[in-house]
Amino acid sequence: MIPAEYRKSGFTDWGAPGWKMSDTIGALDNDEFYLDPTRITLLCGRAGYDGTQFKALLANDYDIQINKTSRNSVLVQININNTRSDLALLIKVLAEMARAIDKRWGMGAKRNRRPSKHG
């Protein structure tokens, strides 16, 4: 996501084969800027939710706690207490929600293409 000219270290992926912690420290010290892998901002406005609604949905239906909301987004902060299974659940839930939204939009598009009975 960050153009190569801003990454003098050559950093591309935290989990790349052969990548060492010393490489990560060098990237943090020398690169122009980097993305924080412990924070994920999810934009939810175009999916029909405001941040508070999306936070409530994740908490009530999936027991996923969200740290901060805005009008169109939620901020997920990953910390030392989170496990791989926590992250796997988040990804699974988001994928399920995305499929449901795509299906809902697809059904709406089909309804909009049908000729109206009333004119």
mmCIF file of all heavy atoms in Angstrom, residues 20 23 41 51 63 81 86 97 102:
data_model
loop_
_atom_site.group_PDB
_atom_site.id
_atom_site.type_symbol
_atom_site.label_atom_id
_atom_site.label_comp_id
_atom_site.label_asym_id
_atom_site.label_seq_id
_atom_site.Cartn_x
_atom_site.Cartn_y
_atom_site.Cartn_z
ATOM 1 N N LYS A 20 13.603 -10.665 9.335
ATOM 2 C CA LYS A 20 14.013 -10.781 10.737
ATOM 3 C C LYS A 20 13.582 -9.539 11.515
ATOM 4 O O LYS A 20 13.307 -8.499 10.929
ATOM 5 C CB LYS A 20 15.532 -10.934 10.828
ATOM 6 C CG LYS A 20 16.085 -12.152 10.080
ATOM 7 C CD LYS A 20 17.594 -12.254 10.187
ATOM 8 C CE LYS A 20 18.384 -11.238 9.439
ATOM 9 N NZ LYS A 20 18.306 -11.101 8.026
ATOM 10 N N ASP A 23 15.431 -6.493 10.685
ATOM 11 C CA ASP A 23 14.960 -5.831 9.460
ATOM 12 C C ASP A 23 13.789 -4.909 9.774
ATOM 13 O O ASP A 23 13.691 -3.806 9.241
ATOM 14 C CB ASP A 23 14.530 -6.866 8.423
ATOM 15 C CG ASP A 23 15.662 -7.770 7.973
ATOM 16 O OD1 ASP A 23 16.821 -7.298 7.938
ATOM 17 O OD2 ASP A 23 15.393 -8.945 7.651
ATOM 18 N N THR A 41 -8.693 0.227 10.428
ATOM 19 C CA THR A 41 -9.880 1.051 10.290
ATOM 20 C C THR A 41 -10.774 0.410 9.240
ATOM 21 O O THR A 41 -10.346 0.170 8.111
ATOM 22 C CB THR A 41 -9.521 2.482 9.863
ATOM 23 O OG1 THR A 41 -8.677 3.057 10.870
ATOM 24 C CG2 THR A 41 -10.758 3.338 9.696
ATOM 25 N N GLY A 51 -20.884 3.951 12.287
ATOM 26 C CA GLY A 51 -19.912 3.311 13.162
ATOM 27 C C GLY A 51 -20.527 2.691 14.402
ATOM 28 O O GLY A 51 -20.173 1.578 14.804
ATOM 29 N N ASP A 63 -19.628 -11.117 19.505
ATOM 30 C CA ASP A 63 -18.786 -10.911 20.682
ATOM 31 C C ASP A 63 -17.408 -10.348 20.316
ATOM 32 O O ASP A 63 -16.389 -10.727 20.885
ATOM 33 C CB ASP A 63 -18.650 -12.196 21.496
ATOM 34 C CG ASP A 63 -18.206 -11.940 22.926
ATOM 35 O OD1 ASP A 63 -18.494 -10.840 23.436
ATOM 36 O OD2 ASP A 63 -17.557 -12.821 23.514
ATOM 37 N N ASN A 81 -3.238 -9.056 24.207
ATOM 38 C CA ASN A 81 -4.236 -9.997 24.704
ATOM 39 C C ASN A 81 -4.968 -10.748 23.603
ATOM 40 O O ASN A 81 -5.677 -11.700 23.887
ATOM 41 C CB ASN A 81 -5.261 -9.271 25.579
ATOM 42 C CG ASN A 81 -4.644 -8.744 26.848
ATOM 43 O OD1 ASN A 81 -3.821 -9.417 27.457
ATOM 44 N ND2 ASN A 81 -5.022 -7.543 27.235
ATOM 45 N N ASP A 86 -8.659 -14.960 17.692
ATOM 46 C CA ASP A 86 -9.419 -13.707 17.707
ATOM 47 C C ASP A 86 -9.389 -13.054 16.334
ATOM 48 O O ASP A 86 -10.415 -12.597 15.816
ATOM 49 C CB ASP A 86 -8.845 -12.718 18.724
ATOM 50 C CG ASP A 86 -9.011 -13.144 20.163
ATOM 51 O OD1 ASP A 86 -9.932 -13.921 20.470
ATOM 52 O OD2 ASP A 86 -8.195 -12.682 20.993
ATOM 53 N N MET A 97 -20.017 -11.057 6.495
ATOM 54 C CA MET A 97 -20.798 -9.833 6.359
ATOM 55 C C MET A 97 -20.685 -9.265 4.953
ATOM 56 O O MET A 97 -21.678 -8.810 4.383
ATOM 57 C CB MET A 97 -20.349 -8.805 7.397
ATOM 58 C CG MET A 97 -20.682 -9.205 8.814
ATOM 59 S SD MET A 97 -20.052 -8.031 10.036
ATOM 60 C CE MET A 97 -21.269 -6.735 9.870
ATOM 61 N N ASP A 102 -23.060 -8.110 -0.284
ATOM 62 C CA ASP A 102 -23.039 -8.290 -1.744
ATOM 63 C C ASP A 102 -24.327 -8.945 -2.222
ATOM 64 O O ASP A 102 -24.899 -8.551 -3.237
ATOM 65 C CB ASP A 102 -21.842 -9.135 -2.171
ATOM 66 C CG ASP A 102 -20.534 -8.378 -2.128
ATOM 67 O OD1 ASP A 102 -20.574 -7.124 -2.045
ATOM 68 O OD2 ASP A 102 -19.477 -9.033 -2.174
#
